[in-house]
Amino acid sequence: MGCSFFFASKTRRLIFGYCDILAHCRTQIGIFLIGILATACGEDGPIVPPPVPPPPPDPRAGLIDTVRLLAEQRNLDPLLPPDPVRTELVELGRVLLFDKILSGNRDVSCATCHLPSQAMGDGRSLSIGQEGVGLGPGRTHPNGVFTARHSPALFNLHTSKQFFWDGRVELLDNGSMRTPANDQLTSEMEAVFEFGALSAQPMFPVFTRVEMRAQSGNEIADLPDTDYPLVWAALMARLSEIDTYRQMFEAAYPGVLFDDMTFAHAANAMAGFMVSELAFTDTPWDRFLLGNDDEMSDAALRGAKSFMASVRCMRCHETDQFDDRNGEFHNVALPQIGPGQETDPGSNDDFGRERTTGDPLDRRMFKTPALRNVELTAPYGHAGQFTTLLGIVEHYDEIDNRLANYDVSQLEPALQGTILNNFSAILETRDTILLDVVFEEGEAEDLVAFLKSLTDDAARNLNSLAPVSVPSGLSIDK
Ligand code: HEC
Ligand code: HEC
């Protein structure tokens, strides 16, 4: 008896030292040893097998189970791709989005601020439209004119009902559309829209002077600021002079003559392009949800757990696309920089959602951005206040202190002096969900690892999205 136990414990420690990782290896060697010892010491009487210790808990397996359970409880599923869009419509949308003919002075296309080389944004905190020189981070304006807000990436917009940081183009719950053009966007135009409010969105950048229309120098700039239909009709008049456009429009809308079309047909085609070509649904996270454990690193799993539970990110970034399910807008205490959106002209402030709803309770609330491919879309925030992903994630750790200690040196020099001294006003409507969120050591890095698991590899190189040429023959920004 004594003999068998002595050997059993000593030898086991020796052999198991080498087999520590594999639990089943332990058990097998244990059984093997018991066999040998039973033969060696058999004469002493019946052998009592030593208890086989349970395998040590595998922390990774435990984490995987927790993350799966949390995802299930929060109804997270792999992101569904959109329905296919007819090719002719996509191709029309593609050339329109890259054609500078839609800007007053024929010098800016949608793609100038939504560049394939910059993950469909422009890699800048704030965009530069009319009169800008250069592209992306290197673009400059002779008089230092910026847009009020950061150019968002255009990914997976098929899941969204509200557009722009203040949701001013949106599909309301009752099915009606709300846009800055009010009744000037007619029911005939709405009837053309196939992609909800996204179809209406492209009707607005062409009207905005600082983005595409320009202050002067062309027939469209000369039109009054109150009349959307005149601007839209003037753009269609330009397109009508190019035969290739007439043919492409008629191919995209079989049975409708070009002369019976409005700019709504152009906008709807651009929406079709965005829906069809900018849906990215194959990420490590989606594959993990479909059952593949190996897709997520330990850090990404820890980050997913933090995101869904401990630090409350999912209270707002709550859908498969990680935006807000109920279309709620929030103030997450980002500092205000740049020219601001003219709520209170000259103040350089931006009241966000209040501009759309007129409700002071919505002051400084912004759309909760979706987070897929977020690794690729720096800078972050409605005015591009953070230039790194780690920077904006760390901002949520004791958020009020972070606002007070915001590092303005990350901004390009021209914007550094524009920061408003209004931190206490910002904190008045800061979402209380964020009040006592404090990160643990390493938690910000884990969250970043999780966010990087939301990248579809196909989005890393979007060069093939740009057409080879556009019907106007103008140059292409990409
Ligand atoms: C001068 C730069 C610039 C140009 C040109 C431009 N955009 Fe944008 N885009 C922006 C900025 C900045 C925003 C955010 C504005 C805001 O929220 O107030 C934006 C927002 C958007 C959004 C909303 C995305 C979301 O998630 O809410 C879409 C869609 C979009 N642009 C598509 C287009 C299309 C289509 C065109 C051409 C017709 C275009 N843009 C032209 C800079 C630009
Ligand atoms: C109270 C709602 C809310 C919570 C909670 C929240 N967010 Fe946000 N998040 C937002 C809103 C709203 C914005 C945009 C704010 C703005 O631009 O002013 C944003 C922006 C972001 C951005 C920038 C995305 C971009 O494209 O610019 C990232 C990244 C982000 N949040 C990650 C997180 C993480 C990680 C957590 C948890 C630590 C979190 N969020 C918690 C609402 C929230």
Side-chain angles (χ1 to χ4, degrees):
M1 278 300 291
C3 144
S4 64
F5 271 121
F6 176 76
F7 277 113
S9 57
K10 268 219 125 157
T11 329
R12 274 176 35 177
R13 225 178 293 145
L14 264 176
I15 299 175
F16 290 155
Y18 297 102
C19 295
D20 223 20
I21 332 141
L22 296 172
H24 78 271
C25 159
R26 279 187 172 216
T27 321
Q28 274 169 11
I29 294 174
I31 293 166
F32 174 68
L33 263 183
I34 292 162
I36 295 181
L37 290 168
T39 323
C41 309
E43 280 151 37
D44 287 352
I47 298 288
V48 181
V52 179
D58 175 351
R60 181 169 163 87
L63 198 52
I64 289 173
D65 289 347
T66 309
V67 170
R68 286 200 189 288
L69 184 68
L70 284 168
E72 198 183 309
Q73 287 169 346
R74 283 153 179 69
N75 293 318
L76 283 180
D77 291 309
L79 185 66
L80 291 177
D83 292 336
V85 182
R86 59 186 182 282
T87 313
E88 295 81 0
L89 192 71
V90 174
E91 293 315 316
L92 173 62
R94 186 190 313 273
V95 290
L96 286 170
L97 210 120
F98 284 87
D99 200 336
K100 295 178 179 170
I101 196 169
L102 295 187
S103 62
N105 290 326
R106 295 181 168 85
D107 54 352
V108 169
S109 69
C110 308
T112 305
C113 303
H114 299 287
L115 293 158
S117 59
Q118 297 289 337
M120 297 315 277
D122 56 8
R124 312 182 45 77
S125 290
L126 296 172
S127 301
I128 295 175
Q130 280 302 308
E131 294 179 70
V133 180
L135 283 183
R139 189 168 172 86
T140 54
H141 190 284
N143 309 319
V145 176
F146 295 93
T147 59
R149 300 201 180 129
H150 169 71
S151 171
L154 308 176
F155 299 125
N156 297 315
L157 295 182
H158 64 287
T159 65
S160 189
K161 286 194 251 177
Q162 293 163 313
F163 300 96
F164 293 120
W165 286 99
D166 48 18
R168 64 185 178 275
V169 171
E170 64 182 328
L171 198 62
L172 300 174
D173 285 342
N174 65 13
S176 68
M177 193 99 70
R178 172 155 75 183
T179 78
N182 299 318
D183 294 348
Q184 295 186 19
L185 192 101
T186 62
S187 50
E188 288 77 26
M189 289 174 170
E190 281 189 35
V192 172
F193 294 161
E194 297 168 67
F195 310 96
L198 182 59
S199 291
Q201 192 285 335
M203 305 195 74
F204 297 93
V206 294
F207 192 80
T208 310
R209 290 188 183 278
V210 24
E211 291 192 355
M212 297 182 83
R213 189 151 68 109
Q215 302 296 344
S216 61
N218 64 82
E219 82 285 10
I220 299 178
D222 294 343
L223 299 169
D225 279 340
T226 44
D227 204 324
Y228 286 90
L230 277 183
V231 170
W232 293 330
L235 287 168
M236 286 305 274
R238 277 191 184 181
L239 296 175
S240 75
E241 288 164 13
I242 301 174
D243 279 344
T244 312
Y245 268 125
R246 289 180 159 272
Q247 288 153 15
M248 289 185 84
F249 271 90
E250 291 184 355
Y253 297 97
V256 189
L257 293 175
F258 181 88
D259 292 326
D260 293 335
M261 294 189 200
T262 67
F263 197 70
H265 291 83
N268 182 62
M270 289 188 258
F273 167 78
M274 292 188 268
V275 164
S276 166
E277 305 301 284
L278 298 176
F280 290 96
T281 57
D282 183 19
T283 71
W285 171 248
D286 297 285
R287 297 193 292 269
F288 170 81
L289 289 181
L290 289 169
N292 189 342
D293 291 350
D294 300 337
E295 293 287 347
M296 302 278 284
S297 68
D298 288 359
L301 286 167
R302 287 192 303 267
K305 187 178 157 199
S306 291
F307 190 92
M308 290 188 284
S310 22
V311 291
R312 304 186 202 152
C313 313
M314 265 207 87
R315 294 283 288 273
C316 306
H317 301 276
E318 58 183 345
T319 66
D320 298 342
Q321 156 83 327
F322 300 101
D323 56 4
D324 193 302
R325 201 182 304 281
N326 303 313
E328 281 169 9
F329 290 66
H330 306 272
N331 172 350
V332 302
L334 299 186
Q336 185 54 44
I337 60 167
Q341 196 85 317
E342 73 285 5
T343 317
D344 178 7
S347 74
N348 296 349
D349 209 340
D350 191 339
F351 285 179
R353 184 66 171 162
E354 182 183 350
R355 296 190 75 240
T356 303
T357 62
D359 184 348
L361 292 176
D362 287 336
R363 186 159 301 178
R364 295 180 216 286
M365 309 232 167
F366 292 89
K367 183 167 116 163
T368 306
L371 298 178
R372 283 165 175 275
N373 294 334
V374 73
E375 169 187 7
L376 310 174
T377 62
Y380 305 102
H382 68 267
Q385 294 95 328
F386 282 95
T387 48
T388 67
L389 189 52
L390 184 63
I392 185 145
V393 169
E394 283 179 332
H395 172 72
Y396 285 99
D397 177 13
E398 302 193 60
I399 200 158
D400 294 9
N401 288 338
R402 295 283 177 170
L403 174 62
N405 294 303
Y406 173 73
D407 176 13
V408 80
S409 74
Q410 66 193 293
L411 299 173
E412 64 184 277
L415 289 175
Q416 290 182 8
T418 67
I419 187 163
L420 290 190
N421 177 13
N422 65 345
F423 293 171
S424 55
I426 291 176
L427 293 181
E428 273 168 30
T429 52
R430 180 251 308 104
D431 207 304
T432 50
I433 295 170
L434 298 160
L435 252 189
D436 47 3
V437 171
V438 182
F439 288 6
E440 285 176 6
E441 183 79 33
E443 203 160 14
E445 287 77 8
D446 288 347
L447 283 161
V448 167
F450 167 62
L451 293 174
K452 288 185 173 177
S453 81
L454 304 178
T455 305
D456 186 329
D457 278 336
R460 292 184 191 278
N461 185 339
L462 299 175
N463 293 343
S464 63
L465 286 177
V468 179
S469 63
V470 288
S472 68
L474 293 164
S475 67
I476 294 178
D477 290 346
K478 54 191 183 186

